[in-house]
Amino acid sequence: MFSILINSMIKNGKIFYELCLIPTERCNLNCTYCLVNKTAGHSMSFDTAREQIDRMMHERGDFAGYEVSFMGGEPFLAFPLIKEIVEYCHTTYGREAIRFSTVTNGTLVHGDIQQWLVDHRDCFFPTVSVDGEKATHDAHRCGSFDRIDLDFFASYEAPVANMVVSPLSLSALEENVKFLESRGFYVKTFLEEGTGWRNEHLPLFADSLMRLITYYLEKPEAMPTTMLSNSLYLLMDEDKPMACEKEAYSYAVDTFGNRYDCHRCMPFEQNPDLPIPAKYINNLGRVKYINDACRYCFISYMCNACPASNAARIERPELADVYCRQRKVLYRAQAYFYLMALDSGKNHRFINRMSGNKLRKTVEAAKIILQTIDSAHSF
């Protein structure tokens, strides 16, 4: 969710300057929903990484700090390079100057890699990608569940698990979220970005969201997964953060040192099933909406927050139609959830974290969504 990304990149009113590096395009898995083209499998050189880091550290601005994130591919297939980059940063700029993060499938995080992460726990934060219980995870992610040390990742302070939800895993959404929460994770839920969604999946999606809502309504101490906890109050703000602009996000660098608006724009992510048309690569500012009707839709700000996602669908009417209805189902569920939590009279933790102004705007936005957004129709 874009608004959650914005919040995570802001500290004391200032933004973090983020450099996303792709240490390798290679991966040891072949997940069913992955968009990455694995045919080339290039890797980054240390000189390329160093040049980009030096460039970032000489950018002028009143930033909250600097972050280097490693994406892939599976980043830990390039573990020697990651170690060299971190060591260079510590030697050149100090151990506290840059924070590091990565998203990993977790299968390689054992032995030396795990010990290195323990030694760098103060500055390097890994997020593990796991899709819930073993049966769901293995069905999508090459039977890799038993190769992940979940207890190690859960040992971090405020550990995070990224969970992808596909049409095939919808019926187990509640159970998979519960499982990861029971292991100590805060669960970030992402809808499969590929071409697998059809309109016939949407009733089950709505039913699965309602079961998840019921679960959280009965568990007020929980912080709901991101699928239900978007910042609806932003819909009522006149001064909204801009999606994928310098004010909110920095840039990504591929294995050759080329800069892109985000890692989704890189050539190795241009899977033939859902490519971004070449005319929009590094020109995502042109893709504000999937459809002209979006500009008049109340939820457009959040629904169209990812220009790369918009660009991939803008010339694919059948995918745009499903995406539109899917997002309407999602935001109606979020609106209903917030209003029901307030009406329940229970001391919900996520409600208590809001200021009075944010809560007022959230209620107002939720009511408008339920009154105006019709998930039965697109655009």
Side-chain angles (χ1 to χ4, degrees):
M1 300 298 182
F2 166 68
S3 61
I4 293 169
L5 171 64
I6 290 291
N7 291 336
S8 69
M9 295 301 297
I10 295 176
K11 181 179 180 182
N12 297 327
K14 299 179 182 179
I15 65 162
F16 278 88
Y17 197 96
E18 182 183 9
L19 167 63
C20 174
L21 298 178
I22 308 296
T24 182
E25 298 171 0
R26 295 179 296 129
C27 189
N28 58 329
L29 300 181
N30 188 26
C31 302
T32 59
Y33 44 68
C34 182
L35 293 173
V36 173
N37 184 345
K38 303 179 181 68
T39 56
H42 301 110
S43 293
M44 181 176 284
S45 71
F46 171 70
D47 287 342
T48 295
R50 179 181 58 191
E51 178 184 349
Q52 295 298 329
I53 289 167
D54 290 344
R55 185 173 177 179
M56 175 185 75
M57 295 304 290
H58 288 89
E59 290 281 357
R60 294 183 178 181
D62 189 17
F63 303 116
Y66 296 88
E67 177 166 350
V68 173
S69 62
F70 297 103
M71 299 287 287
E74 168 48 46
F76 284 115
L77 284 172
F79 178 50
L81 174 61
I82 290 175
K83 287 197 298 182
E84 192 173 9
I85 290 170
V86 173
E87 179 62 27
Y88 170 75
C89 291
H90 286 174
T91 300
T92 307
Y93 298 106
R95 193 175 180 100
E96 297 181 357
I98 303 172
R99 69 181 190 182
F100 301 89
S101 64
T102 191
V103 177
T104 173
N105 63 38
T107 61
L108 303 178
V109 182
H110 303 279
D112 291 344
I113 294 178
Q114 193 171 110
Q115 184 57 55
W116 183 87
L117 286 171
V118 169
D119 294 340
H120 293 79
R121 192 175 287 242
D122 63 314
C123 62
F124 198 108
F125 190 88
T127 293
V128 63
S129 293
V130 57
D131 288 345
E133 294 182 305
K134 177 178 170 62
T136 299
H137 180 92
D138 283 349
H140 287 296
R141 300 179 67 86
C142 305
S144 60
F145 184 88
D146 290 335
R147 295 157 58 189
I148 305 171
D149 186 349
L150 283 181
D151 289 338
F152 171 74
F153 290 102
S155 70
Y156 277 77
E157 183 179 358
V160 175
N162 282 358
M163 188 180 92
V164 176
V165 180
S166 78
L168 296 179
S169 64
L170 280 176
S171 59
L173 174 59
E174 178 191 354
E175 290 74 16
N176 287 323
V177 169
K178 284 181 178 180
F179 169 75
L180 290 173
E181 288 183 349
S182 74
R183 299 295 294 265
F185 292 98
Y186 176 65
V187 185
K188 289 188 176 181
T189 31
F190 301 88
L191 294 173
E192 178 187 344
E193 186 69 7
T195 59
W197 288 86
R198 302 286 185 273
N199 280 326
E200 54 263 34
H201 296 132
L202 300 182
L204 178 57
F205 182 36
D207 289 343
S208 299
L209 287 171
M210 285 303 300
R211 290 197 299 273
L212 197 59
I213 287 171
T214 300
Y215 161 63
Y216 282 118
L217 289 176
E218 296 172 353
K219 193 177 180 183
E221 73 281 4
M223 285 300 296
T225 179
T226 53
M227 191 170 285
L228 290 177
S229 59
N230 217 327
S231 301
L232 298 185
Y233 70 87
L234 287 172
L235 295 173
M236 308 304 299
D237 278 356
E238 294 182 1
D239 185 23
K240 301 179 179 70
M242 295 300 294
C244 290
E245 296 286 349
K246 287 292 184 182
E247 290 81 6
Y249 184 79
S250 296
Y251 56 89
V253 177
D254 70 6
T255 54
F256 298 105
N258 301 310
R259 289 187 170 207
Y260 292 88
D261 288 346
C262 74
H263 66 87
R264 175 71 176 90
C265 298
M266 294 178 180
F268 86 106
E269 286 229 13
Q270 300 313 304
N271 185 298
D273 288 340
L274 197 67
I276 295 175
K279 63 185 176 182
Y280 297 127
I281 296 293
N282 274 4
N283 194 15
L284 294 178
R286 294 178 56 195
V287 196
K288 176 62 177 173
Y289 305 113
I290 297 175
N291 185 290
D292 284 342
C294 296
R295 71 179 67 249
Y296 306 110
C297 180
F298 180 66
I299 61 170
S300 177
Y301 168 70
M302 289 183 173
C303 179
N304 290 279
C306 177
S309 177
N310 297 348
R313 291 175 171 81
I314 198 168
E315 297 177 3
R316 304 280 293 274
E318 74 287 356
L319 295 181
D321 177 85
V322 176
Y323 182 79
C324 175
R325 291 185 57 194
Q326 177 201 74
R327 295 292 150 161
K328 287 179 175 179
V329 169
L330 177 62
Y331 289 111
R332 280 183 60 87
Q334 291 179 4
Y336 175 79
F337 176 49
Y338 276 108
L339 294 178
M340 289 298 293
L342 281 168
D343 193 53
S344 70
K346 296 181 180 178
N347 194 28
H348 284 277
R349 179 182 172 195
F350 73 99
I351 295 290
N352 291 338
R353 287 164 62 98
M354 292 187 195
S355 68
N357 189 43
K358 286 184 179 180
L359 184 57
R360 178 185 60 78
K361 290 181 177 180
T362 296
V363 170
E364 188 176 352
K367 289 180 178 179
I368 294 174
I369 289 172
L370 293 178
Q371 291 167 358
T372 65
I373 302 301
D374 179 8
S375 58
H377 301 93
S378 63
F379 303 114

